[in-house]
Amino acid sequence: MRTLAFFLVVLSLALAQDWRLTKSLSEGLGERGAWRYTLSPQGKEARELWQALLPQYRNHLQAGYRVDLGAYSLYFRGGALWLSRACPTPHPACLTPGALPIPKERQDRFLLELAGLLEKALAEARGTGGRLTLTGLFRADLSQGQAPPFRAHPSGWKP
């Protein structure tokens, strides 16, 4: 099962069409700044799908539920937003699907691609330190070598 899940993640990354991971280094006054990693949907269909999922995810979080994003879950605890490891590898059972009028396979593919890039972005951010933002949902500032759970903050909305 673990091999199949790994294969699905690798395949979704190979076919990466819905999500983009951008990495930038801020600089100021001759000093090296912090790394910024941003996950965002690319293409009209992907943006529309993400815009349809965002309100559902925000409502889940505000109601006290977690949002599963593959190997990681996002949830409120003690008034703070947290991102922590929930599954050993991203696979469809570790995704929070939305109530959308699209085939489940399409939504799974979309979310598995996000999960794979989130894994990659977190690994890089943990290696360098910096800010990771998932457009419209959260941002987290990671220290170099930091282990989960990660403190996060709403991005693009207020709880």
Side-chain angles (χ1 to χ4, degrees), residues 76-112:
F76 277 105
R77 185 182 68 213
L81 189 61
W82 294 93
L83 181 66
S84 69
R85 190 108 184 147
C87 288
T89 58
H91 58 83
C94 293
L95 299 172
T96 298
L100 301 174
I102 63 168
K104 182 181 179 336
E105 298 80 29
R106 172 64 179 117
Q107 193 173 162
D108 284 352
R109 192 172 65 245
F110 179 80
L111 293 172
L112 279 172

Side-chain angles (χ1 to χ4, degrees), residues 5-76:
F6 177 75
F7 176 74
L8 288 173
V9 170
V10 170
L11 181 62
S12 68
L13 287 174
L15 300 172
Q17 299 173 19
D18 292 324
W19 288 94
R20 168 182 45 227
L21 171 60
T22 56
K23 182 169 85 168
S24 62
L25 181 63
S26 61
E27 295 183 29
L29 300 174
E31 291 185 15
R32 182 174 177 224
W35 282 101
R36 293 181 184 197
Y37 302 87
T38 304
L39 287 164
S40 56
Q42 67 177 7
K44 182 181 177 191
E45 181 190 1
R47 284 191 300 273
E48 288 172 354
L49 183 51
W50 186 237
Q51 288 303 314
L53 282 170
L54 278 174
Q56 294 178 41
Y57 283 178
R58 292 170 182 166
N59 288 339
H60 270 53
L61 292 168
Q62 289 173 325
Y65 298 105
R66 70 182 197 197
V67 172
D68 293 323
L69 301 168
Y72 287 86
S73 290
L74 189 65
Y75 57 89
F76 277 105

